[in-house]
Amino acid sequence: MSNIEQLQKIIDNSRKIVFFGGAGVSTESGIPDFRSVDGLYNQKYDYPPEEILSHTFFERHTDEFYRFYRDKMLCLDKKPNKAHHKLAELEKAGKLLAVVTQNIDGLHQAAGSKRVYELHGSVLRNHCRKCRKFFSAEYIKNSEGVPECSCGGVIKPDVVLYEEGLDDSVVNGALNAIMQADTLIIAGTSLTVYPAAGFIRYFRGGAVVLINRDKTPFDSQADLVFHDKVGELLDKIKVGNA
């Protein structure tokens, strides 16, 4: 039995799949990741991206933060790819319990997924720090300098920056889903970003499937490993009704 046939069998026999995804899920939509050879961490800026995307930098150099953020983080023209659509299909068929994502692009929801835990927030949500008024990503994209609310407060993206903690309700929802899962599919992540990478330790179910372009520290612990593009692989899966 080939690996893809094994994956099909695992999915056919599952009723509570949880998909845990990282940047590699969205690269096929044209959104750059951070740690690959051509990712953001390997491009040159006045400051390293991980410094720019920190709470301290946002507070001290808000204008510079937004210059980088608009240029590199707001990919509002990108569309869901085959991976996003297949996961939405699995959820609709009653096989997928939840998506737990480290991505902030909102593409899972755009593809139709309903139960999505966004560990690192979303660029699609922005709020005034003073009055909490909501602003769209388009508003941020089209603004200049530091975007401000009519009340005078600075607008901040609902994105978890370095030095900031994850949202408790999102964390609890994600962990509960992983603990309920009968199959865990880990995809498009190097499993090096904590605390998110530690979430997979809570899985108590059957099969662990790992899909990532490069090797990860978790390869030897997975039941099935693919070094492939996530969308191209998942597109081969046939989805039947639960």
Side-chain angles (χ1 to χ4, degrees):
M1 187 183 293
S2 69
N3 278 4
I4 192 68
E5 287 172 332
Q6 289 183 59
L7 177 58
Q8 182 70 62
K9 185 177 180 180
I10 288 170
I11 289 176
D12 287 345
N13 294 330
S14 299
R15 289 295 178 270
K16 292 183 178 180
I17 300 170
V18 167
F19 181 88
F20 182 91
V25 178
S26 291
T27 51
E28 288 168 78
S29 292
I31 295 178
D33 69 359
F34 280 73
R35 290 173 174 79
S36 66
V37 174
D38 55 350
L40 292 182
Y41 282 172
N42 292 290
Q43 298 178 27
K44 302 300 180 184
Y45 297 93
D46 291 341
Y47 301 89
E50 60 265 41
E51 182 179 346
I52 296 173
L53 296 174
S54 69
H55 179 82
T56 297
F57 194 92
F58 179 85
E59 296 288 352
R60 295 178 179 174
H61 309 282
T62 314
D63 190 62
E64 186 71 20
F65 168 90
Y66 269 111
R67 191 175 297 120
F68 176 89
Y69 182 79
R70 289 189 188 95
D71 186 36
K72 294 298 180 182
M73 308 300 289
L74 287 180
C75 306
L76 305 183
D77 60 333
K78 305 305 181 185
K79 304 298 182 184
N81 61 50
K82 293 174 180 177
H84 299 106
H85 288 298
K86 184 63 67 174
L87 292 168
E89 189 182 350
L90 284 165
E91 183 183 48
K92 190 175 182 181
K95 287 185 167 294
L96 186 79
L97 184 63
V99 169
V100 179
T101 181
Q102 299 174 72
N103 297 334
I104 58 176
D105 49 48
L107 292 182
H108 285 293
Q109 292 93 327
S113 289
K114 305 298 183 186
R115 194 175 182 186
V116 182
Y117 295 103
E118 297 172 307
L119 297 180
H120 297 155
S122 173
V123 298
L124 303 182
R125 298 186 298 268
N126 306 271
H127 294 91
C128 171
R129 302 181 81 188
K130 190 174 179 181
C131 73
R132 300 302 298 163
K133 181 181 177 182
F134 173 87
F135 291 88
S136 69
E138 287 77 15
Y139 181 90
I140 302 298
K141 184 78 171 179
N142 296 326
S143 64
E144 295 181 0
V146 178
E148 293 186 352
C149 177
S150 57
C151 77
V154 172
I155 301 168
K156 184 178 183 295
D158 183 20
V159 171
V160 180
L161 302 176
Y162 289 103
E163 304 168 348
E164 294 180 344
L166 305 186
D167 182 273
D168 285 343
S169 62
V170 174
V171 168
N172 291 334
L175 291 179
N176 285 333
I178 290 171
M179 286 188 285
Q180 292 177 49
D182 55 16
T183 295
L184 180 63
I185 300 176
I186 305 165
T189 173
S190 60
L191 293 174
T192 57
V193 177
Y194 285 84
F199 281 39
I200 61 176
R201 297 174 184 165
Y202 288 81
F203 178 64
R204 299 290 183 266
V208 175
V209 178
L210 184 55
I211 310 167
N212 197 53
R213 188 180 63 182
D214 304 313
K215 291 182 178 180
T216 78
F218 199 72
D219 280 19
S220 62
Q221 301 175 56
D223 297 288
L224 203 53
V225 177
F226 297 90
H227 291 143
D228 295 288
K229 291 183 176 179
V230 185
E232 289 183 6
L233 181 68
L234 291 184
D235 192 48
K236 298 174 184 177
I237 296 299
K238 294 179 176 61
V239 181
N241 290 324

